[in-house]
Amino acid sequence: MAGAGAEIWFYHLERSSLDQVLPGLLEKTRERGWRALVRADDRALLDHVDDRLWTWREDSFLAHGRAGQPHAERQPVLLSESGDNENGAQALFILDGAELDQTEAFERCFILFDGRDETALHGARARWKALKDAGSNLAYWRQDADGRWERAA
């Protein structure tokens, strides 16, 4: 379970999709000088994210690699099905309800969930309660009517 040190930010996706939100968050993470680990249990989702990061803008891409591949430890953004922090990331991104595991090695963890999916919504609520009960440092972000992110808790 998560440690009390890392900030854990929930991102409730209602107006924007994962394809729209994740690349921007990764870009901001990189602007901080941090590396990122993106974790999902679904290989097909990671394949999709892999493709998206190469093409998310016409004029740029987000350099990244896959866990278990050569030079994984050097990747600024690493896509993984496990929680192994092969690239020494400061930021952990959790997709599709993947396990959070230990978070002590990270500065910040992002849990992105689709608020239009009842299963994902219930899972995020249960995860929030468990982390809050454990004394974790939590924040909850959702989009306002104009699409800007605002901290709601």
Side-chain angles (χ1 to χ4, degrees):
M1 183 55 77
E7 294 178 320
I8 302 173
W9 291 6
F10 284 70
Y11 273 78
H12 188 159
L13 306 181
E14 290 179 294
R15 290 176 172 75
S16 299
S17 69
L18 181 66
D19 278 357
Q20 295 167 314
V21 174
L22 180 61
L25 289 174
L26 289 171
E27 189 172 64
K28 288 182 185 298
T29 297
R30 294 296 303 138
E31 287 171 1
R32 288 186 75 110
W34 289 356
R35 291 176 180 242
L37 176 65
V38 178
R39 181 169 185 207
D41 291 336
D42 181 354
R43 179 178 288 279
L45 176 58
L46 285 178
D47 290 343
H48 177 79
V49 169
D50 189 1
D51 290 342
R52 179 70 175 141
L53 296 181
W54 288 122
T55 62
W56 84 287
R57 282 193 183 157
E58 287 186 25
D59 62 341
S60 70
F61 63 90
L62 280 164
H64 66 282
R66 298 289 288 257
Q69 298 288 323
H71 311 293
E73 73 281 356
R74 296 188 346 208
Q75 297 299 329
V77 175
L78 189 65
L79 309 180
S80 178
E81 291 178 68
S82 80
D84 297 338
N85 191 0
E86 293 179 56
N87 66 336
Q90 293 87 3
L92 172 64
F93 289 80
I94 298 293
L95 311 181
D96 79 352
E99 285 302 315
L100 191 57
D101 293 330
Q102 298 298 319
T103 61
E104 290 82 8
F106 301 98
E107 296 290 326
R108 188 168 298 144
C109 303
F110 299 82
I111 299 172
L112 287 77
F113 65 97
D114 186 347
R116 297 161 294 211
D117 178 323
E118 281 300 313
T119 302
L121 188 58
H122 289 297
R125 286 179 179 151
R127 184 174 269 178
W128 174 276
K129 182 179 181 336
L131 290 167
K132 184 173 177 112
D133 290 348
S136 297
N137 182 4
L138 303 177
Y140 174 79
W141 297 84
R142 70 184 316 165
Q143 285 179 302
D144 65 16
D146 295 322
R148 290 185 301 264
W149 289 98
E150 60 184 18
R151 188 172 177 158

